Amino acid sequence: MALLSSNPWVCAFGILGNIISFLVYLAPVTTFYRIYKKKATESFSSMPYLVALFSSMLWLYYALVKGDFLLMTINSFGCVVETIYISMYLTYATKEKRKYTLKMIVSMNFGLFGFILLMVHHLAKGSQRASILGWICVAFSVCVFAAPLTIVAKVVRTKSVEFMPFTLSFFLTISAIMWFAYGLFLKDMCIALPNVVGFFLGMVQMILYAIYKNAGKVLVEEKKLQELNTVVVVNSLGGVAEIHPVQSPPNCDVDDQSPTVKNESVEEDLGKVVVTLETNLKPKEISPEVVVLPKPIECAA
């Protein structure tokens, strides 16, 4: 087992990787506290937590096949935490979201994982089993890097780091370094390779943060065009971090009892609406008036 390895670097990087990944797994706690307080899932999606659970299940199975204790500990913790997150989500989700989440659990977390487990267990033996499963984990881990690429594209397009907090990018980069070094010293390329991509994307995110950190906020028009205003990052070895939805600026309310408008022109400039009101009213004193109702007309018989 890696914990009993004679190489001290394996133990050191494995323990550090566990600690940092532990923090990444706990990142959505604020999200679910918000869900608990509001008793609603709002615009949050269950997909990142389902993907994180599936990733943890795959890596846990790989760790069991390899006998890797340090990989077992963090992914066992990940399976428990993500199950709690998904249970809370199902509790407060709408009927449609609950139905979709249950469908994905059955198809992905049970169906697909069960298929992989049966295929690997029955069609491969010995060291070949660990090798095949390891490369399946590598392929899946590379696929989940689509989320960071989405963030990078958004930062370049909007010239704003509002959707990419530096702390999140920093810890994901450190996590990738720890697990890359762990896989390298353990001579396990299935652990090391996905984190090369993770390290590269983490460095790109931090460089972009340094470039655009003073570039201002995203335009209002850009915010309104978002279908999903939740940005999600899934770690290569499991774990998910989520950025809260960006709140749209409050709409300017117009007084319903305002005086009659004579002329109104609307000008649009970068998503901001400028309304010019021209009135020709003079202030006057309002005095109470007595309204006399007409006497009803009586019809003669």
Side-chain angles (χ1 to χ4, degrees):
M1 288 188 180
L3 185 62
L4 304 177
S5 174
S6 58
N7 190 337
W9 292 108
V10 173
C11 295
F13 284 110
I15 293 171
L16 289 173
N18 269 256
I19 294 171
I20 296 172
S21 295
F22 176 84
L23 296 175
V24 173
Y25 274 119
L26 293 180
V29 167
T30 53
T31 297
F32 281 91
Y33 180 73
R34 172 175 175 165
I35 290 174
Y36 170 75
K37 293 289 286 184
K38 295 194 174 184
K39 310 297 182 186
T41 57
E42 299 179 299
S43 63
F44 293 106
S45 171
S46 62
M47 182 55 68
Y49 310 103
L50 297 171
V51 171
L53 177 60
F54 183 74
S55 177
S56 297
M57 292 166 66
L58 275 180
W59 284 107
L60 179 59
Y61 182 35
Y62 177 73
L64 290 170
V65 172
K66 290 278 291 186
D68 191 328
F69 180 75
L70 290 175
L71 208 56
M72 287 182 208
T73 54
I74 188 58
N75 286 289
S76 297
F77 175 76
C79 287
V80 173
V81 170
E82 298 300 337
T83 301
I84 294 173
Y85 291 156
I86 293 169
S87 299
M88 287 187 64
Y89 189 92
L90 289 172
T91 302
Y92 298 110
T94 60
K95 184 178 179 180
E96 292 76 13
K97 288 185 176 181
R98 188 181 297 114
K99 184 178 179 180
Y100 172 78
T101 301
L102 290 172
K103 187 186 298 183
M104 292 302 301
I105 291 173
V106 172
S107 60
M108 181 173 67
N109 297 89
F110 287 101
L112 182 57
F113 179 77
F115 174 77
I116 293 173
L117 189 149
L118 291 174
M119 293 293 291
V120 171
H121 185 75
H122 291 288
L123 298 182
K125 295 182 179 180
S127 60
Q128 188 181 15
R129 181 182 300 168
S131 178
I132 293 174
L133 183 59
W135 286 107
I136 292 174
C137 291
V138 169
F140 181 78
S141 296
V142 171
C143 289
V144 300
F145 283 119
L149 287 175
T150 304
I151 297 177
V152 169
K154 186 182 291 291
V155 170
V156 172
R157 186 175 69 253
T158 63
K159 294 180 173 54
S160 171
V161 294
E162 187 175 0
F163 302 98
M164 191 180 67
F166 178 81
T167 305
L168 176 60
S169 302
F170 176 76
F171 276 105
L172 289 174
T173 304
I174 297 299
S175 176
I177 293 173
M178 295 299 108
W179 286 114
F180 169 75
Y182 177 77
L184 190 65
F185 284 108
L186 195 61
K187 298 180 180 178
D188 189 335
M189 289 298 103
C190 292
I191 297 176
L193 283 178
N195 290 287
V196 174
V197 182
F199 172 75
F200 173 75
L201 287 175
M203 291 301 298
V204 169
Q205 290 181 43
M206 289 193 290
I207 291 171
L208 287 176
Y209 186 91
I211 295 173
Y212 295 118
K213 64 179 180 179
N214 296 320
K217 294 186 176 181
V218 183
L219 298 176
V220 175
E221 181 181 358
E222 192 69 28
K223 291 182 181 180
K224 291 182 178 179
L225 291 176
Q226 294 177 17
E227 262 181 44
L228 298 175
N229 26 1
T230 302
V231 180
V232 179
V233 180
V234 182
N235 195 12
S236 61
L237 291 178
V240 58
E242 185 166 3
I243 304 172
H244 291 306
V246 179
Q247 298 293 336
S248 298
N251 295 327
C252 297
D253 297 329
V254 179
D255 189 4
D256 293 332
Q257 299 179 353
S258 57
T260 306
V261 178
K262 180 181 178 182
N263 184 22
E264 180 177 7
S265 60
V266 181
E267 301 173 1
E268 294 185 4
D269 183 18
L270 296 177
K272 297 180 180 179
V273 179
V274 181
V275 180
T276 305
L277 300 176
E278 297 179 2
T279 60
N280 192 21
L281 297 177
K282 297 181 180 180
K284 62 180 181 179
E285 296 181 358
I286 301 176
S287 58
E289 297 180 359
V290 179
V291 179
V292 180
L293 298 176
K295 183 177 180 181
I297 301 173
E298 298 180 357
C299 297

